[in-house]
Coordinates of all heavy atoms in Angstrom, one line a residue:
H223 N 49.0 17.4 -11.5 CA 47.7 17.8 -11.0 C 46.6 17.0 -11.7 O 45.6 16.5 -11.0 CB 47.4 19.3 -11.2 CG 48.2 20.1 -10.3 ND1 48.1 20.1 -8.9 CD2 49.2 21.1 -10.5 CE1 48.9 21.0 -8.3 NE2 49.6 21.6 -9.3
L224 N 46.7 16.8 -13.0 CA 45.7 16.1 -13.7 C 45.7 14.6 -13.3 O 44.6 14.0 -13.2 CB 45.9 16.2 -15.2 CG 45.7 17.6 -15.9 CD1 46.2 17.6 -17.3 CD2 44.2 17.9 -15.8
E225 N 46.8 14.1 -13.1 CA 46.9 12.7 -12.6 C 46.2 12.5 -11.2 O 45.5 11.6 -10.9 CB 48.3 12.2 -12.6 CG 48.9 11.9 -14.0 CD 50.4 11.5 -13.9 OE1 50.9 11.5 -12.8 OE2 50.9 11.1 -15.0
K226 N 46.5 13.5 -10.3 CA 45.9 13.5 -9.0 C 44.3 13.6 -9.1 O 43.6 12.9 -8.5 CB 46.4 14.6 -8.1 CG 47.8 14.4 -7.7 CD 48.3 15.6 -6.8 CE 49.7 15.4 -6.4 NZ 50.2 16.6 -5.5
D227 N 43.9 14.5 -10.0 CA 42.4 14.7 -10.2 C 41.8 13.4 -10.7 O 40.7 13.0 -10.3 CB 42.2 15.9 -11.1 CG 42.5 17.2 -10.5 OD1 42.6 17.3 -9.3 OD2 42.8 18.1 -11.3
L228 N 42.5 12.8 -11.7 CA 42.0 11.5 -12.3 C 42.0 10.4 -11.2 O 41.0 9.7 -11.2 CB 43.0 11.1 -13.4 CG 42.6 9.9 -14.2 CD1 41.2 10.1 -14.9 CD2 43.6 9.5 -15.3
A229 N 43.0 10.3 -10.3 CA 42.9 9.3 -9.3 C 41.8 9.6 -8.3 O 41.1 8.7 -7.9 CB 44.3 9.3 -8.5
G230 N 41.6 10.9 -8.0 CA 40.4 11.2 -7.1 C 39.1 10.9 -7.7 O 38.2 10.4 -7.1
L231 N 39.0 11.2 -9.0 CA 37.7 10.9 -9.7 C 37.5 9.3 -9.8 O 36.4 8.9 -9.6 CB 37.8 11.4 -11.1 CG 37.7 13.0 -11.2 CD1 37.9 13.4 -12.7 CD2 36.3 13.4 -10.8
K232 N 38.6 8.6 -10.0 CA 38.4 7.1 -10.0 C 38.0 6.6 -8.6 O 37.1 5.8 -8.5 CB 39.8 6.5 -10.4 CG 40.1 6.6 -11.8 CD 41.4 5.9 -12.1 CE 41.7 6.0 -13.6 NZ 43.0 5.3 -14.0
A233 N 38.6 7.1 -7.5 CA 38.2 6.7 -6.2 C 36.8 7.1 -5.9 O 36.0 6.3 -5.3 CB 39.2 7.4 -5.1
R234 N 36.4 8.3 -6.3 CA 35.0 8.7 -6.1 C 34.0 7.9 -6.8 O 33.0 7.5 -6.3 CB 34.9 10.2 -6.5 CG 33.5 10.8 -6.1 CD 33.5 12.3 -6.4 NE 32.2 12.9 -6.1 CZ 31.9 14.1 -6.4 NH1 32.8 14.9 -7.0 NH2 30.7 14.6 -6.1
K235 N 34.4 7.5 -8.1 CA 33.5 6.6 -8.9 C 33.4 5.3 -8.2 O 32.3 4.7 -8.1 CB 34.1 6.5 -10.3 CG 33.3 5.6 -11.2 CD 33.9 5.5 -12.5 CE 33.1 4.6 -13.4 NZ 33.8 4.4 -14.7
E236 N 34.5 4.7 -7.7 CA 34.4 3.4 -7.0 C 33.5 3.5 -5.8 O 32.7 2.6 -5.5 CB 35.8 3.0 -6.6 CG 36.7 2.6 -7.8 CD 38.1 2.2 -7.4 OE1 38.4 2.3 -6.2 OE2 38.8 1.7 -8.3
M237 N 33.7 4.6 -5.0 CA 32.8 4.8 -3.8 C 31.3 4.9 -4.2 O 30.5 4.3 -3.6 CB 33.3 6.0 -3.0 CG 34.6 5.9 -2.4 SD 35.1 7.4 -1.6 CE 33.8 7.6 -0.3
L238 N 31.1 5.6 -5.2 CA 29.7 5.8 -5.7 C 29.1 4.5 -6.2 O 27.9 4.1 -5.9 CB 29.6 6.9 -6.8 CG 29.8 8.3 -6.3 CD1 29.9 9.2 -7.5 CD2 28.7 8.8 -5.4
E239 N 29.9 3.7 -6.9 CA 29.4 2.4 -7.4 C 29.2 1.4 -6.2 O 28.2 0.7 -6.2 CB 30.5 1.8 -8.3 CG 30.5 2.5 -9.7 CD 31.6 1.9 -10.6 OE1 32.4 1.0 -10.1 OE2 31.6 2.3 -11.8
E240 N 30.1 1.5 -5.2 CA 29.8 0.6 -4.0 C 28.6 1.0 -3.3 O 27.8 0.2 -2.9 CB 31.1 0.7 -3.1 CG 32.3 0.0 -3.6 CD 33.5 0.1 -2.7 OE1 33.3 0.8 -1.7 OE2 34.6 -0.4 -3.0
S241 N 28.4 2.3 -3.0 CA 27.2 2.8 -2.4 C 25.9 2.5 -3.2 O 24.9 2.1 -2.6 CB 27.3 4.3 -2.1 OG 27.3 5.0 -3.3
L242 N 26.0 2.6 -4.5 CA 24.9 2.3 -5.3 C 24.5 0.8 -5.2 O 23.4 0.4 -5.1 CB 25.2 2.7 -6.8 CG 24.1 2.5 -7.8 CD1 22.9 3.3 -7.4 CD2 24.6 2.8 -9.2
A243 N 25.6 -0.1 -5.3 CA 25.3 -1.5 -5.2 C 24.7 -1.9 -3.8 O 23.8 -2.7 -3.7 CB 26.6 -2.3 -5.4
Q244 N 25.2 -1.2 -2.7 CA 24.7 -1.5 -1.4 C 23.3 -1.0 -1.3 O 22.4 -1.7 -0.7 CB 25.6 -0.7 -0.4 CG 25.2 -1.1 1.1 CD 26.2 -0.4 2.0 OE1 27.0 0.3 1.6 NE2 26.0 -0.7 3.3
Q245 N 22.9 0.2 -1.9 CA 21.6 0.6 -1.8 C 20.6 -0.3 -2.6 O 19.5 -0.6 -2.2 CB 21.5 2.1 -2.4 CG 22.1 3.1 -1.5 CD 22.1 4.5 -2.1 OE1 21.6 4.7 -3.2 NE2 22.6 5.5 -1.4
W246 N 21.1 -0.8 -3.8 CA 20.3 -1.7 -4.6 C 20.0 -3.0 -3.8 O 18.9 -3.5 -3.8 CB 21.0 -2.0 -5.9 CG 20.7 -1.1 -7.0 CD1 21.6 -0.2 -7.5 CD2 19.5 -0.9 -7.6 NE1 20.9 0.6 -8.5 CE2 19.6 0.1 -8.6 CE3 18.2 -1.5 -7.5 CZ2 18.6 0.6 -9.4 CZ3 17.2 -1.1 -8.4 CH2 17.4 0.0 -9.3
Q247 N 21.1 -3.5 -3.1 CA 20.9 -4.7 -2.3 C 19.9 -4.5 -1.1 O 19.0 -5.3 -0.9 CB 22.2 -5.2 -1.7 CG 23.1 -5.8 -2.8 CD 24.5 -6.2 -2.2 OE1 24.7 -6.0 -1.0 NE2 25.4 -6.7 -3.0
E248 N 20.0 -3.3 -0.4 CA 19.1 -3.0 0.6 C 17.7 -2.9 0.1 O 16.7 -3.4 0.7 CB 19.6 -1.7 1.3 CG 20.9 -1.9 2.1 CD 21.3 -0.6 2.8 OE1 20.6 0.4 2.5 OE2 22.3 -0.6 3.5
Q249 N 17.6 -2.2 -1.0 CA 16.2 -2.0 -1.6 C 15.6 -3.3 -2.0 O 14.4 -3.6 -1.8 CB 16.3 -1.0 -2.8 CG 15.0 -0.7 -3.4 CD 15.1 0.2 -4.6 OE1 16.2 0.5 -5.0 NE2 14.0 0.7 -5.1

Side-chain angles (χ1 to χ4, degrees):
H223 287 300
L224 290 172
E225 287 178 352
K226 289 181 181 179
D227 294 335
L228 184 61
L231 289 172
K232 285 182 179 179
R234 188 176 179 184
K235 182 182 178 183
E236 290 177 357
M237 290 176 63
L238 288 172
E239 287 178 353
E240 289 178 358
S241 64
L242 182 62
Q244 188 176 2
Q245 288 178 359
W246 273 111
Q247 289 179 0
E248 291 178 356
Q249 186 180 3

